[in-house]
Amino acid sequence: MVGGGRATMGTMRISARADYAVRAALELAVRQGEGPVKAESIATAQDIPHKFLEGILADLRRAGVVSSQRGGNGGYRLAREAGAITVADLIRAVDGPIVSVRGERPTQLKYTGPAEPLLPLWVALRANVRQILEGVTVADIATNGLPELVRGLAEDPAAWENP
């Protein structure tokens, strides 16, 4: 799969699945005290196609990020505290590895000749992306408490421009 929250030779894309997974987790975080939340309610609140969301919630359940309860009072809830769930956890649950090159993890690649320096570049990119996504929790976003590193990067006007 190209894209899907992976870096592919210079292009970083966050898939719809990853975006929806984060938004669903945020919806569950802010409704934590309400008991199980129905998928339809999450879909409506976040404007996510219901059938698409069901598949995402199943992936999040398999990854141990959400739990589900069947029945009339059933629904979904976070399986652990929002502060213990990172954005990286959510992306990996629905899209797999966060950074890949041509569908492979950078550590599985081999370059020769003048292309040899590409490997440390891709590994550094992966480390940088991980630092951000593993350093931000669902609770950070839900409480508008993004880490200073993230806030600082986002405050740079150049970050908002598309060259």
Side-chain angles (χ1 to χ4, degrees):
M1 261 173 75
V2 175
R6 297 168 175 83
T8 55
M9 293 306 228
T11 301
M12 177 74 188
R13 292 196 175 116
I14 302 299
S15 71
R17 289 180 64 76
D19 179 59
Y20 292 163
V22 173
R23 289 166 48 198
L26 288 167
E27 194 65 33
L28 292 173
V30 300
R31 296 167 71 173
Q32 192 72 351
E34 298 179 16
V37 181
K38 296 199 178 309
E40 297 87 7
S41 178
I42 298 167
T44 300
Q46 289 297 319
D47 195 25
I48 299 171
H50 178 254
K51 286 293 185 194
F52 198 36
L53 179 62
E54 286 284 357
I56 291 165
L57 289 168
D59 287 344
L60 293 176
R61 187 177 44 74
R62 278 190 291 280
V65 175
V66 301
S67 60
S68 62
Q69 179 179 319
R70 295 182 184 261
N73 292 327
Y76 295 87
R77 63 179 60 172
L78 295 178
R80 48 191 200 263
E81 292 296 317
I85 301 169
T86 67
V87 175
D89 294 333
L90 298 167
I91 293 172
R92 285 186 187 112
V94 298
D95 280 344
I98 291 174
V99 175
S100 66
V101 179
R102 300 186 326 262
E104 296 184 50
R105 294 172 191 248
T107 52
Q108 297 172 325
L109 299 172
K110 189 169 195 153
Y111 293 103
T112 59
E116 279 187 64
L118 278 177
L119 185 56
L121 174 64
W122 299 147
V123 170
L125 173 67
R126 180 175 71 168
N128 201 314
V129 171
R130 278 182 173 173
Q131 180 181 10
I132 299 290
L133 298 179
E134 290 176 353
V136 178
T137 68
V138 171
D140 293 334
I141 302 167
T143 62
N144 195 19
L146 291 173
E148 194 55 44
L149 170 65
V150 175
R151 284 189 187 278
L153 289 169
E155 287 171 2
D156 179 358
W160 295 86
E161 296 174 11
N162 292 325

